[in-house]
Amino acid sequence: MERAIARDYTVSSQVEIGLTSVGRSDTMPGHKYGPAVRPYYLIHYILSGSGIFKVDNVTYHLHAGQGFLIVPNCQTTYIADKETPWSYVWLGFTGKSAATWLDQINLSETRPVFNSDNSYELANCVNEILTLDKLSMENNLRALSCFFRFLSYIAAGTVANIQQANSEKNQYVTQAIQYISHHLSKVTVESLAQAVNLNRSYLTSLFKQDLDLTPSEYIQNFRITKARHLLESSDISIDQVAEQCGYQRTNSFTRVFKRTYGISPRHYRQQVKIK
C-alpha cells in the first residue's frame, strides 16, 4: 500500500519537452511497484527511507538523498524496505529533446542513480506542479519552469558510483530484453529464442534463473504495462495502443487489460483524464 498524490498529463510526441506525470508517495513497508514498462522518462527522488530499484536484471539498493532514472521501454520494479519504507517524489516527461537534457546532467540508462542534498528544493518543485489544477498555457509554462529547476538541482549533485547487486548479468537475457524492447509489436518466444541463438527451453530456464519469470510472462507484462502508461500519457487511439504493444486485435487487448486492471482501456483513460 501507499499514500500518493499524483497527476498524469497527455503529451504530444512532437513536443520538445513535456510533463507526463508528477507526484509524491509515502509507501508502506515492503510496498512494491512493478514490474512495469513506461513509454516516457521518469525520475524518482527519495526523501526518506530506503528500498530497492531493479531495472531488468540489475538491482540497486538506495536510500534518502538518492534518486533514480527510468528510461522508456525498460522493465523496472521498486520495493520499499520493510523496516524503513521510503517516501519519494517523481517527475515523468517526454519529448524530442528529453534525452539531450538528461545527457547534460549525466543521467542515462547505464548511469541511472544520482545523489543530491537538495531534498527540500526537489520536493518543492513537485509540490508546486501539484498545485496546478489544469495545464493551461500559463500553467504549463509554470510547470516546465519547475521541471527545469528540478533538473538543475540534480545537476548540482553527483552521479552515484554504487555497486550493482547483480555482478553476473547473463548476456543472453540482456540481449533478449533488448530485442523485446525493439520488437515488441511482433516478438514471440520462438522469435526471441532464434534472435539470441538459443533453444526455447534453455532460454526459459535462463529467464527463470535471472528474472523469476518465463519469457512469455516477461513479454506479457511488458506489453500490458506499457499499454497502461500509453493510455495515461498519450492521445493516440486505443487501436494504436494495442498495435504498438503487440496485440493483433484490439478486442484481445481490451480483454487482457480488463483481466489485469479490472476496467476497460477506454474507461481507464477516461478515469485518468478526470483526475
Side-chain angles (χ1 to χ4, degrees):
M1 296 290 292
E2 65 176 335
R3 298 184 298 276
I5 303 173
R7 296 189 190 279
D8 297 301
Y9 309 106
T10 300
V11 181
S12 168
S13 60
Q14 300 306 308
V15 300
E16 284 297 322
I17 199 79
L19 291 177
T20 58
S21 178
V22 59
R24 172 171 180 153
S25 178
D26 301 308
T27 64
M28 300 298 287
H31 175 262
K32 177 181 178 181
Y33 189 93
V37 179
R38 297 173 181 79
Y40 50 81
Y41 293 96
L42 188 63
I43 296 177
H44 285 67
Y45 178 74
I46 305 163
L47 301 172
S48 63
S50 60
I52 293 172
F53 169 54
K54 297 181 178 181
V55 51
D56 294 327
N57 55 342
V58 179
T59 301
Y60 300 90
H61 295 269
L62 305 177
H63 54 75
Q66 294 184 306
F68 55 92
L69 169 70
I70 295 172
V71 303
N73 299 323
C74 276
Q75 183 160 269
T76 60
T77 302
Y78 32 104
I79 308 169
D81 187 81
K82 292 182 179 180
E83 300 297 329
T84 56
W86 50 18
S87 296
Y88 50 71
V89 292
W90 75 84
L91 280 176
F93 55 99
T94 190
K96 293 183 286 186
S97 64
T100 301
W101 283 106
L102 287 169
D103 186 62
Q104 291 186 36
I105 64 173
N106 207 25
L107 286 181
S108 69
E109 181 177 357
T110 57
R111 302 185 304 273
V113 178
F114 63 92
N115 300 313
S116 177
D117 295 327
N118 296 304
S119 179
Y120 173 81
E121 291 83 358
L122 287 164
N124 192 51
C125 290
V126 170
N127 291 335
E128 283 190 42
I129 299 173
L130 288 171
T131 65
L132 306 174
D133 290 335
K134 299 289 184 181
L135 285 193
S136 61
M137 176 57 72
E138 176 188 356
N139 285 347
N140 184 54
L141 291 172
R142 289 178 60 190
L144 286 176
S145 72
C146 292
F147 166 72
F148 283 111
R149 280 166 46 212
F150 190 89
L151 293 189
S152 76
Y153 294 127
I154 294 175
T158 59
V159 174
N161 183 20
I162 61 177
Q163 185 82 20
Q164 295 179 355
N166 295 41
S167 58
E168 295 183 4
K169 291 177 60 179
N170 189 294
Q171 292 305 308
Y172 287 113
V173 174
T174 300
Q175 292 172 25
I177 289 169
Q178 292 173 347
Y179 185 87
I180 291 168
S181 68
H182 291 115
H183 300 84
L184 185 61
S185 63
K186 296 181 180 179
V187 66
T188 64
V189 177
E190 196 61 43
S191 68
L192 183 63
Q194 291 175 2
V196 296
N197 295 313
L198 294 177
N199 67 58
R200 180 170 177 161
S201 176
Y202 185 51
L203 179 63
T204 297
S205 68
L206 291 179
F207 261 73
K208 288 291 289 183
Q209 175 184 315
D210 276 25
L211 304 176
D212 199 29
L213 293 168
T214 66
S216 178
E217 290 169 338
Y218 187 94
I219 293 168
Q220 290 170 12
N221 185 76
F222 201 114
R223 283 179 167 150
I224 200 64
T225 57
K226 180 176 180 179
R228 172 189 167 188
H229 290 292
L230 277 172
L231 290 170
E232 294 172 353
S233 62
S234 76
D235 56 4
I236 64 175
S237 70
I238 291 174
D239 287 344
Q240 290 173 303
V241 171
E243 182 181 1
Q244 286 190 22
C245 295
Y247 297 94
Q248 295 182 352
R249 298 179 180 83
T250 302
N251 59 356
S252 297
F253 164 57
T254 299
R255 194 161 51 247
V256 173
F257 193 94
K258 192 169 184 178
R259 184 169 66 241
T260 305
Y261 297 112
I263 189 172
S264 71
R266 180 171 64 86
H267 287 133
Y268 180 79
R269 174 172 268 174
Q270 289 173 347
Q271 284 191 0
V272 169
K273 302 309 177 191
I274 292 172
K275 293 180 180 179

